[in-house]
Amino acid sequence: MAEYEKDEKDEKKKRSKKETEEFLDEWEKKLEDAIDREATERIKKKKDLDFVVLDQWDAEIRKSREGDPNGPRPCLTIDKIGQYRMQIINEIRKNRPAIKVRPVDDGGDPETAEVLQGLTRHIEDYSGASLAYQVGAEWAIDTGDGYFRILTDYSDEKSFNQQIKIAPIFDAFSVYLGPHLMPDGSDSEYAMILDDIPESQFKRDYPGKKVPLPDEEGPFWVGKDHVRVVEIFYYEWEKKTLLSLSDGNSAYADEYDGPQENIIDSRETMCREVCWVKRTKAEIIDERDWAGSYIPVIRVTGHQKIVDGKKRTWGIIRPAIDAARMYNYISSAIAEKSA
């Protein structure tokens, strides 16, 4: 898992032991809630993925046919979905998605937009962003949900310079967003990314941190040879007074030190700050403020509908499953009869 790095001066204030315990308990409950909320849909998505990798027979039917007392019966898998899936993927490869910067109103400056476009293109080239977009799109095609992320990291092991990166998330099942309706997840108030780190790597990357034990933390958090680490992005909210100034600008009251006669109006507003925490079951192993105004995890969506107040997502695979199984069964029956 890539790290988010900032200067020491940007580190968050240390929590007390009680505050840390409360924080860990709160976010463990939120993780449990997110897992429960998505459990039914993820079972369906897992079946979609099985179909993509050609595990297209119902397990019980395959078992009964291959274990027939009179001898194994054929269970042919004739992939009728893959060609349509690859048509979409190849179109994405030919017409690769990219970020486009445009001046959108009277205050927009085309020259500034052109400079920002150049910076954005550099970030995409440096990151290999096309891979991130493609991985997210493939998950959306197959299951209805994919993700990629924005992060910062040092350019190399000898550098103090940091680079913005657009990075792929290869396992969409490792991501849990808070409740949201927007297809890109931009209205979610938190995101959690799970990562299973080999124990040897955990000791190397986090010297001095406790290595959780399976009998203490349970199988969800500690495997045979790995430690589960969770990244959490969330908002902290603060109420502020916003001032409207006579020169057309605005400023927060606690930051404004100009003449009072320049203030023509004011109102209360809620400001948010993005926070980042990395934790194990037992402790917080790293914590920073994120230098951005949005949670840097972007959702890529296939089909989405709200049914009875619950979100349903799917790709191109699920509607074809029954037809494909019928085709496989009929083909197997014909082959069996011909034999």
Side-chain angles (χ1 to χ4, degrees), residues 167-180:
I169 296 179
F170 291 102
D171 183 3
F173 288 159
S174 68
V175 180
Y176 289 93
L177 295 184
H180 62 279

Side-chain angles (χ1 to χ4, degrees), residues 243-249 256-266:
L243 305 178
S244 176
L245 306 177
S246 57
D247 61 1
N249 293 319
Y256 180 69
D257 57 2
Q260 293 298 305
E261 57 267 22
N262 287 349
I263 300 173
I264 59 176
D265 199 1
S266 66

Side-chain angles (χ1 to χ4, degrees), residues 76 147 195 239 260 268:
L76 302 182
Y147 301 90
D195 190 24
K239 191 173 184 179
Q260 293 298 305
E268 298 299 315

Side-chain angles (χ1 to χ4, degrees), residues 4-289:
Y4 166 61
E5 298 287 355
K6 290 196 73 176
D7 296 333
E8 289 185 6
K9 65 180 181 180
D10 292 326
E11 290 191 15
K12 295 182 73 63
K13 293 179 180 179
K14 297 297 183 182
R15 303 170 187 269
S16 68
K17 183 177 180 181
K18 182 179 180 182
E19 289 172 336
T20 300
E21 291 174 352
E22 290 174 349
F23 179 89
L24 293 174
D25 288 343
E26 175 189 357
W27 282 100
E28 186 161 356
K29 289 176 183 176
K30 286 187 178 182
L31 178 57
E32 290 173 356
D33 175 69
I35 292 172
D36 290 342
R37 186 173 65 247
E38 297 193 18
T40 301
E41 284 296 294
R42 293 206 175 196
I43 290 172
K44 297 176 184 176
K45 291 172 184 177
K46 175 61 168 60
K47 292 180 180 178
D48 296 340
L49 283 182
D50 288 341
F51 234 76
V52 171
V53 298
L54 303 183
D55 183 7
Q56 298 184 359
W57 280 80
D58 178 85
E60 290 300 319
I61 295 176
R62 178 185 287 276
K63 182 178 179 181
S64 66
R65 290 179 68 84
E66 292 181 344
D68 192 294
N70 297 318
R73 302 168 66 189
C75 294
L76 302 182
T77 298
I78 302 174
D79 185 19
K80 303 293 286 185
I81 302 175
Q83 58 179 321
Y84 303 107
R85 176 179 178 271
M86 288 308 302
Q87 282 179 0
I88 302 172
I89 292 173
N90 287 334
E91 282 298 316
I92 293 172
R93 289 173 177 170
K94 285 193 297 183
N95 304 285
R96 294 191 179 277
I99 298 171
K100 178 66 176 176
V101 179
R102 295 188 179 93
V104 296
D105 55 28
D106 294 340
D109 179 8
E111 292 184 1
T112 302
E114 188 175 345
V115 171
L116 293 174
Q117 181 68 69
L119 291 172
T120 302
R121 190 179 299 115
H122 169 73
I123 292 170
E124 289 184 311
D125 290 343
Y126 173 79
S127 308
S130 57
L131 175 62
Y133 301 152
Q134 182 178 321
V135 169
E138 287 190 22
W139 273 89
I141 291 165
D142 296 338
T143 69
D145 267 324
Y147 301 90
F148 61 92
R149 64 181 299 182
I150 315 297
L151 53 84
T152 62
D153 198 4
Y154 291 112
S155 302
D156 57 60
E157 67 275 6
K158 294 183 179 180
S159 175
F160 287 94
N161 297 322
Q162 295 189 54
Q163 293 272 8
I164 299 172
K165 292 183 179 180
I166 300 171
I169 296 179
F170 291 102
D171 183 3
F173 288 159
S174 68
V175 180
Y176 289 93
L177 295 184
H180 62 279
L181 293 175
M182 295 299 291
D184 61 356
S186 57
D187 54 333
S188 173
E189 295 205 355
Y190 64 83
M192 290 176 277
I193 305 175
L194 282 61
D195 190 24
D196 294 335
I197 300 177
E199 186 177 318
S200 58
Q201 181 183 338
F202 182 86
K203 291 178 179 178
R204 182 193 70 207
D205 292 346
Y206 306 104
K209 297 298 182 181
K210 177 184 176 184
V211 178
L213 300 175
D215 56 343
E216 293 178 353
E217 313 299 358
F220 178 83
W221 289 95
V222 185
K224 182 179 179 181
D225 56 0
H226 73 264
V227 176
R228 177 159 288 174
V229 172
V230 180
E231 280 186 90
I232 305 170
F233 290 95
Y234 65 98
Y235 293 128
E236 281 190 351
W237 297 88
E238 182 180 359
K239 191 173 184 179
K240 289 190 175 185
T241 300
L242 182 67
L243 305 178
S244 176
L245 306 177
S246 57
D247 61 1
N249 293 319
S250 59
Y252 294 121
D254 60 344
E255 299 173 356
Y256 180 69
D257 57 2
Q260 293 298 305
E261 57 267 22
N262 287 349
I263 300 173
I264 59 176
D265 199 1
S266 66
R267 70 177 179 88
E268 298 299 315
T269 185
M270 293 297 293
C271 302
R272 68 187 186 190
E273 181 182 69
V274 183
C275 303
W276 175 83
V277 169
K278 182 179 281 191
R279 63 163 293 182
T280 61
K281 163 72 174 178
E283 63 183 330
I284 294 173
I285 57 178
D286 206 352
E287 185 171 11
R288 301 283 194 279
D289 289 331

